[in-house]
Amino acid sequence: MSGERKFILGVLGSGRGSNFVAVAEACRAGAVPAEVGLVLSDVAEAGILEQARRRGIQAQFIPPGKFRTRLDEEAEQAYLAALRAARVDLIVLAGFMRVLKPPFLDAFAGRIINIHPSLLPSFPGLEAWKQALAHGVKVTGCTVHWVDAGVDSGPIIGQQAVPVLDEDTPETLHQRIQEAEHALYPRCVGAIARGEIRLQGRRVFGGPPGVIRGA
Ligand code: GRF
């Protein structure tokens, strides 16, 4: 083992944490040269906290404060303090249901990524798989992107496509997209941790090639 410091991930999530599990397991298996140092949630009973604790990873509920869709100032500072204390190199959003605002974004500029359940720029925002079904597209998927001040609008690091089938319900399509997410997210985090990613304008070089999966 070299004495090199590990690349530390801070994961933020509000839900069951299946993407966190995919990333944490890839780290543990050595496929991603990083370790999850901290998991934070705005939901006290979120599955992601339980998943982290089960793996011996520090996990903390931090109340989001008085707003519904973002963190209030006090909460923002509390999240930042916890992330800094854990010496986090990269913030990995995994189903975190609050929009991060400039003070937070500036504190970790260029070091926050998100996964979204559509092929952006199609269907940003909530329940993207339902938007895809309602629109009638035949292909959708998932996207890993840098987080900027917009909603699901930052430069794209990686994408994986999945088919939309005639018999799909919102649940079956979401499930298929999530399986793609669990493959894509660790690959993107790995590329970042290995220092392979380069950003030029909106184009990200060095990430995993776009994946098109058959039916
Ligand atoms: C994922 O589908 C992701 O695309 C979206 O939120 C969901 C989180 O799911 N941003 P999980 O908590 O990782 O299972």
Side-chain angles (χ1 to χ4, degrees), residues 149-169:
V151 174
D152 304 321
S153 56
I156 291 169
I157 301 164
Q159 290 188 305
Q160 185 155 336
V162 304
V164 180
L165 306 179
D166 285 352
E167 58 273 26
D168 267 333
T169 62

Side-chain angles (χ1 to χ4, degrees), residues 15-20 94-97 114-117 129 174 178 181-182:
R16 68 190 182 109
S18 67
N19 279 284
F20 154 71
F96 191 61
M97 298 305 286
N114 181 42
I115 189 157
H116 181 76
W129 62 95
H174 190 204
Q178 282 224 306
E181 290 182 337
H182 301 159

Side-chain angles (χ1 to χ4, degrees), residues 31-52:
V32 172
E35 79 182 29
V36 182
L38 175 67
V39 172
L40 298 177
S41 183
D42 58 331
V43 178
E45 64 280 5
I48 192 170
L49 293 174
E50 171 59 25
Q51 290 285 7

Side-chain angles (χ1 to χ4, degrees), residues 17-28:
S18 67
N19 279 284
F20 154 71
V21 169
V23 170
E25 292 299 323
C27 291
R28 194 162 65 173

Side-chain angles (χ1 to χ4, degrees), residues 14 39 69 90 106 181:
S14 311
V39 172
T69 58
L90 180 72
D106 295 343
E181 290 182 337

